[in-house]
Amino acid sequence: MEADVEGAEQMRSEVFTRELIDVLVEAGELGEAVPCHLHQRGVEVHGYGVDEDVLNLIATIHRGDIPPASVTKTDVASSFRRLTGFWEKCRDRPFHEQLEESSDAYDMALHVHRVRDEVREMRLFVVTDGVSAADRLETEHVDGVEVRRSVWDLRRLHRLETSGQQREAIEIDFVARFGAPLPCLGTETGSDDYRAMLAVLPGRWLADIYHEHGARLLELNVRSFLQATGKVNRGIRDTLRDDPDRFLAYNNGITATAAEVEFTDLPNGGRAISRLRDLQIVNGGQTTASIHRASVVDVDLADVSVQAKITVVPPDRLEEIVPLISRFANSQNKVSEADLRANDPFHVETESLSRTVWTPAIGDALRQTRWFYERARGQYRDAISREGTPARQRAWRETHPTAQKFTKTDLAKYENAWAQLPHEVSKGAQKNFTLFMGQLAQRPYTPDVANFHRLIAKAILWKRTERLVSEQAYGGYRANLVAYSVAKLSHATAQRLDLPAIWERQALDEDTEAALVDLSRLAWKVLVDDAPAGANITEWAKREACWKAMRGEGWKTPAGLAGRLVAVGRPAGGASSTEPSAVEDPAVAACMELEAEGWFGLSNWAKQTSNLEPWQRKLSFDIGVRMKRGRPPSAKQAVHGKKILDEARRLGFVSETVEQD
């Protein structure tokens, strides 16, 4: 178990909570949330998150019993009562002033206190490794706040993990919920892959459905949308407020999919949809969220109608067909290939590599293992179950250890921390993953064995840093400390850490580990000790200013580690002493700040660290050749050269790097 490895001070319940928050966030059941433990008389919280006007609070009932113990309704009710008690204390007075200022519980209470007047909905979660008879409780309204409660016990979690989906299916019974079916026009003929229908959906119905299911409704959507900041989104908002009866004419509507549909005949002829199962909005997330947001701020939706195209896709074809519908659906905003998420060729190829690439045999051991990339939730468990006998399952686990399993959001975390974006990593799994996909679209590359080795080296770097940070017993903010420590190491070494050597050893060397421990102390100083007065540490970690502060801290690479870094090298023949003539072009002048040997070094550094595009590496070398011959770069070369130099310096490259070799 991870709790055993992390040390006695790391309680199993805290590890369980952290893992379950990740599961529920990725499944869309929970907005961005972080683990945070607080236990006092009448108060117990294990995690929280604030998502616009929604407050999420999580309580854990962890027993650790095998077989799973029964969790009574009284236990569950008590946990809900303690969560409510925490909310009331934060709402009614500055409860945080009673807590230790350096603790993450202080930050949690301070954050909740500050947003207390903005909270319109509170979602309470009880997660347990036991078995409970309680499930979803009735929604209540308390002092103007809508309170929703749900219980996730071992059975429900198992269904989620083994269902082969990333979410529980959303089922809408229009008759039971709204008192009437949804009239539609449909086709009974066409492809065997789908059936299509057209309908006009009342805006109030759509807002109500999104209100209950939130991000789960958009799980297969091509984008995440949560606020009206863009021009198109403001236009939607203004139409809803000023011309609601024209919304149907002005708006493109939504495109949705479902796995099953039930019809009913209308009294005056025609057909209507009575029930939809596994409803997903794959295009029109902005429209849906904007309508819901408008309803929250008291915009009357009585005259709002939304056109909807609903495609019924067999469950076994969902993963194949839905991304194609998302790609080709008419949209108000341009959709990039990177938005296709799990079905992006990058993820498919990474999955393929993880099933075929073996790790090196370490030391005298003969057994080799694989790192298992779980592109879709439940793949790991499904692979185990397919092995049949207990002996075969045990052997499969030895070849694919749980500690060597990683997900899409894990991959994005490893890559963005190494890319020196710890403030983005700190924003949470889903937002960080969305950013990673956007970056992948700008700089696409096809995964190969060498790149897979480097990816796993970054995974080892992250996972080992987690252990090292836990051993320091800082008391909180582990994820932020890990992200900032890895990013600072990446920057301080100009990304010259020997990643292929980490892959070969499947471990970090002592010098690297010692450096990471030292950097974690520096990260604590920047994140906590030197944080702006009154700042919430979790929010401070999300700001680029925090990373700039960390990047600006003077930390010199220890001699032992410096000797292990990848050598950049220099070209034969030495540097030219010829000084180029003065130029008026600022880009040319910026490029000439780096001597010829520096450009050769930059080109080699980019190759050794897998940074920049191949053409950018070649251009760097070509600029070096021109400058060595006493000629400045051309104006066209200089424009690109300056951008290359700026990006290299952002990643920690300095011309002195050449002199260190």
Side-chain angles (χ1 to χ4, degrees):
M1 291 289 290
E2 183 181 349
D4 295 327
V5 179
E6 289 186 348
E9 76 283 353
Q10 182 72 28
M11 298 179 62
R12 289 176 181 267
S13 62
E14 295 178 1
V15 177
F16 176 76
T17 302
R18 185 171 68 246
E19 293 296 325
L20 263 296
I21 286 177
D22 289 344
V23 168
L24 295 178
V25 167
E26 188 170 349
E29 300 287 346
L30 176 65
E32 295 292 352
V34 294
C36 186
H37 182 77
L38 173 63
H39 181 72
Q40 286 190 357
R41 182 179 178 85
V43 170
E44 187 167 9
V45 185
H46 294 88
Y48 87 107
V50 178
D51 190 1
E52 286 197 344
D53 55 3
V54 178
L55 171 64
N56 298 306
L57 295 176
I58 303 104
T60 299
I61 302 177
H62 184 269
R63 300 285 172 74
D65 295 332
I66 301 176
S70 175
V71 177
T72 68
K73 290 185 178 181
T74 302
D75 294 331
V76 171
S78 178
S79 292
F80 280 131
R81 189 164 55 249
R82 292 190 180 103
L83 290 176
T84 303
F86 170 74
W87 157 248
E88 291 173 347
K89 287 192 174 186
C90 294
R91 178 195 62 191
D92 298 339
R93 58 183 182 276
F95 175 54
H96 56 279
E97 294 180 356
Q98 302 177 25
L99 306 175
E100 172 58 45
E101 190 169 348
S102 63
S103 69
D104 49 1
Y106 174 93
D107 274 349
M108 174 176 65
L110 174 61
H111 194 181
V112 174
H113 179 70
R114 285 178 171 173
V115 301
R116 64 192 185 281
D117 294 333
E118 302 169 16
V119 173
R120 294 175 178 269
E121 181 182 347
M122 186 163 59
R123 298 191 175 190
L124 307 180
F125 297 81
V126 171
V127 296
T128 176
D129 63 344
V131 177
S132 173
D135 190 4
R136 196 181 299 271
L137 288 76
E138 292 296 324
T139 300
E140 297 179 350
H141 288 80
V142 181
D143 298 329
V145 175
E146 183 176 295
V147 181
R148 295 174 178 264
R149 300 177 177 86
S150 61
V151 179
W152 286 83
D153 67 352
L154 204 59
R155 289 180 302 193
R156 190 176 181 191
L157 292 166
H158 181 263
R159 287 196 299 269
L160 177 65
E161 286 285 284
T162 59
S163 65
Q165 304 182 89
Q166 294 188 6
R167 67 249 177 311
E168 289 189 317
I170 294 174
E171 186 168 324
I172 307 297
D173 188 325
F174 290 103
V175 177
R177 186 172 193 134
F178 303 111
L182 179 66
C184 69
L185 294 174
T187 175
E188 298 294 336
T189 60
S191 171
D192 294 335
D193 292 336
Y194 73 92
R195 297 166 61 191
M197 292 151 284
L198 298 176
V200 175
L201 190 66
R204 288 179 298 187
W205 291 16
L206 185 58
D208 183 76
I209 293 170
Y210 183 81
H211 183 69
E212 178 177 353
H213 300 289
R216 290 178 56 215
L217 194 65
L218 311 176
E219 179 61 31
L220 295 180
N221 198 3
V222 294
R223 65 179 75 252
S224 296
F225 169 81
L226 291 176
Q227 50 185 307
T229 55
K231 180 179 179 180
V232 172
N233 303 323
R234 287 197 300 270
I236 294 174
R237 178 197 60 197
D238 293 344
T239 301
L240 289 168
R241 183 187 59 214
D242 302 330
D243 298 296
D245 57 327
R246 296 184 179 180
F247 191 83
L248 182 63
Y250 291 171
N251 187 266
N252 286 339
I254 66 172
T255 301
T257 63
E260 296 177 11
V261 61
E262 291 182 5
F263 295 100
T264 185
D265 293 327
L266 296 173
N268 298 325
R271 305 184 77 190
I273 301 170
S274 58
R275 187 179 69 89
L276 287 173
R277 185 179 181 279
D278 205 0
L279 176 66
Q280 291 285 287
I281 295 176
V282 297
N283 188 271
Q286 298 184 38
T287 295
T288 305
S290 294
I291 288 175
H292 171 258
R293 183 64 179 171
S295 70
V296 170
V297 295
D298 300 325
V299 172
D300 186 2
L301 301 179
D303 296 327
V304 174
S305 297
V306 184
Q307 61 179 323
K309 180 179 73 173
I310 303 171
T311 305
V312 182
V313 181
D316 60 341
R317 304 298 300 277
L318 277 174
E319 278 203 14
E320 173 191 353
I321 296 177
V322 169
L324 298 177
I325 297 174
S326 297
R327 180 184 300 172
F328 299 122
N330 184 29
S331 175
Q332 293 171 329
N333 285 351
K334 184 178 182 295
V335 178
S336 69
E337 293 293 318
D339 291 326
L340 299 178
R341 299 187 175 186
N343 293 281
D344 186 276
F346 169 84
H347 296 289
V348 174
E349 185 59 29
T350 300
E351 176 188 21
S352 177
L353 288 166
S354 77
R355 304 301 191 265
T356 57
V357 176
W358 293 89
T359 64
I362 307 302
D364 297 330
L366 297 178
R367 178 178 292 278
Q368 293 177 273
T369 61
R370 289 193 180 118
W371 283 74
F372 188 96
Y373 181 47
E374 193 173 59
R375 181 175 62 87
R377 179 165 295 282
Q379 285 182 317
Y380 187 82
R381 291 178 182 272
D382 288 345
I384 293 174
S385 65
R386 285 197 298 269
E387 292 301 312
T389 67
R392 288 174 57 113
Q393 291 180 352
R394 189 162 51 250
W396 192 90
R397 286 193 186 95
E398 290 176 354
T399 302
H400 306 84
T402 305
Q404 292 179 195
K405 181 191 79 171
F406 63 107
T407 67
K408 300 187 301 295
T409 53
D410 290 333
L411 184 154
K413 187 167 56 181
Y414 308 150
E415 292 288 359
N416 277 352
W418 182 252
Q420 301 165 26
L421 299 169
H423 51 296
E424 300 292 349
V425 177
S426 296
K427 291 178 181 178
Q430 295 302 314
K431 291 180 181 177
N432 181 61
F433 177 72
T434 300
L435 173 71
F436 172 74
M437 291 302 295
Q439 293 171 323
L440 195 63
Q442 296 173 16
R443 187 190 166 196
Y445 73 94
T446 301
D448 55 24
V449 172
N451 279 327
F452 185 75
H453 289 177
R454 295 175 62 83
L455 168 62
I456 299 306
K458 296 168 192 173
I460 294 169
L461 177 63
W462 178 279
K463 287 173 175 283
R464 184 55 186 160
T465 306
E466 282 187 324
R467 303 265 183 88
L468 294 170
V469 168
S470 293
E471 290 169 4
Q472 307 313 305
Y474 289 110
Y477 315 114
R478 187 182 79 153
N480 308 119
L481 293 171
V482 172
Y484 274 79
S485 299
V486 170
K488 180 66 173 178
L489 181 67
S490 171
H491 184 265
T493 62
Q495 292 193 333
R496 294 194 299 138
L497 203 64
D498 196 342
L499 296 178
I502 294 175
W503 162 261
E504 290 295 330
R505 288 191 303 268
Q506 290 292 293
L508 304 183
D509 58 74
E510 293 181 357
D511 292 317
T512 302
E513 291 194 357
L516 286 166
V517 171
D518 193 36
L519 286 170
S520 73
R521 299 189 184 109
L522 185 62
W524 179 268
K525 173 181 177 293
V526 172
L527 287 166
V528 180
D529 295 340
D530 296 347
N536 178 288
I537 304 303
T538 304
E539 296 302 310
W540 165 235
K542 298 175 184 178
R543 293 172 53 189
E544 188 174 4
C546 184
W547 168 233
K548 287 182 178 179
M550 179 72 172
R551 197 171 57 203
E553 288 286 335
W555 185 83
K556 185 174 178 60
T557 305
L561 176 58
R564 296 176 179 271
L565 300 180
V566 173
V568 172
R570 70 184 74 198
S576 170
S577 60
T578 306
E579 285 291 331
S581 303
V583 292
E584 297 180 358
D585 190 322
V588 174
C591 289
M592 291 178 62
E593 291 178 3
L594 191 64
E595 295 182 353
E597 188 172 349
W599 281 103
F600 290 132
L602 191 158
S603 176
N604 201 17
W605 165 83
K607 181 178 180 181
Q608 295 286 357
T609 60
S610 294
N611 278 307
L612 308 179
E613 297 292 331
W615 69 268
Q616 293 175 311
R617 300 170 196 163
K618 183 179 184 304
L619 178 61
S620 300
F621 190 88
D622 290 345
I623 292 176
V625 171
R626 288 178 65 97
M627 292 184 64
K628 186 177 180 181
R629 294 172 178 171
R631 298 172 57 197
S634 69
K636 184 176 180 180
Q637 286 178 323
V639 170
H640 295 294
K642 183 178 184 303
K643 293 178 181 178
I644 292 169
L645 186 57
D646 289 344
E647 175 64 7
R649 285 172 171 166
R650 185 190 74 79
L651 293 171
F653 173 82
V654 290
S655 57
E656 287 78 13
T657 299
V658 177
E659 304 301 327
Q660 294 172 358
D661 299 319

